[in-house]
Amino acid sequence: MRILVTGKDGQVGSEFARLYRSASDVVLVGRGECDLSDEQSIRDVVRRVKPEVIINAAAYTAVDQAEREPELCFAINAAAPRVLAQEAARLDALLVHYSTDYVFDGEKAEPYLETDSINPVSVYGASKAAGEAAIAESTNRFLVLRTSWVYAAQGRNFLRTMLRLGGERSQLRVVDDQVGAPTSAPAIAAATIRLVERYASPGEHLAPGIYHMTAGGSTSWCGFARAIFSAGMLDAVPEVQPIASSEYPTAARRPANSVLSNDKFARTFGFRLPLWQQQLQEVMAGMQVRC
Ligand SMILES: NC(=O)c1ccc[n+]([C@@H]2O[C@H](COP(=O)([O-])OP(=O)(O)OC[C@H]3O[C@@H](n4cnc5c(N)ncnc54)[C@H](OP(=O)(O)O)[C@@H]3O)[C@@H](O)[C@H]2O)c1
């Protein structure tokens, strides 16, 4: 099965690069080979590679910066997925795309279902919602996997920020009124590969649509920070003080409840991603080995 992966240098894309390192039929491209803000660049790459599956791991993910550059954010997160979906439809290929918990406003008390109305409260969330819609309008053969709070051993993410700040300060103030499921890039890539392998199996039918695909369980950013520090990677563990979002103003608003129900995913595909604590342990174990 010929697979094209975009965003090879991102958190999730790097995991595909690692997991597919010995696969001869997988083409991974980064910004240099395929600039998602350039429609022709996308069409050229897809037409050259002629994939049977496209995995779009590239995105504009700078949530606060997006408030200042909405055009670029929408070009990458909404216009580019439309072009990918159009090209996938031409080839009869499957498009696998990632979306986000930030398509919701976070006002719901329970975990969000795929059938719940979206209502993004940030430019980034709105751009990802527009990307979902553009894909559904352009092809029948797609999987949109909404995930949340993505982190990895490399890249720019909360885990690495906490380890850096925790090494510099004895006390940290961390938001405690936003709840979600920290989901590791390795878990996202591994689960996606299971879906793609299933798609490639003879006789298997992959029901297209939107699926929530996050780690099991949930916590706040403060809870996530405490779990990071309790792994014992730092010589001195900083004190973590819980604060309200209002005490940590950001350019973009973020939903208070980011928890997504994974029940549809589990019913359809027969498995769930591991609990967030287990994913964190696995990522941090890998970091300790590398240190
Ligand atoms: N990060 C999160 O917390 C989070 C949460 C929910 C959902 N998601 C979704 O999960 C997916 C993967 O996210 P991630 O955390 O792996 O993202 P990431 O680490 O920020 O990586 C995104 C990649 O996209 C590339 N990219 C950005 N603009 C591009 C352009 N114009 N042309 C080509 N490539 C471009 C970046 O390239 P450079 O390396 O050159 O900058 C980067 O390699 C995305 O769809 C994201 O929206 C992420």
Side-chain angles (χ1 to χ4, degrees), residues 9-12 31 34-36 58-59 61 98-99 124 128 147 150:
D9 300 311
Q11 300 190 85
V12 174
R31 194 191 286 263
C34 181
D35 181 352
L36 290 201
T61 57
Y98 301 100
S99 190
Y124 168 75
K128 295 296 287 185
T147 191
V150 180

Side-chain angles (χ1 to χ4, degrees), residues 82-104:
R82 181 185 297 281
V83 176
L84 283 170
Q86 289 169 348
E87 291 297 319
R90 274 185 80 234
L91 294 169
D92 229 3
L94 171 72
L95 174 62
V96 182
H97 175 81
Y98 301 100
S99 190
T100 171
D101 48 317
Y102 285 10
V103 297
F104 295 114

Side-chain angles (χ1 to χ4, degrees), residues 20 24 32 39 42 61 79 102 113 118 177 186 274:
Y20 278 140
S24 57
E39 178 177 332
I42 303 170
T61 57
Y102 285 10
L113 305 173
I118 59 170
D177 57 3

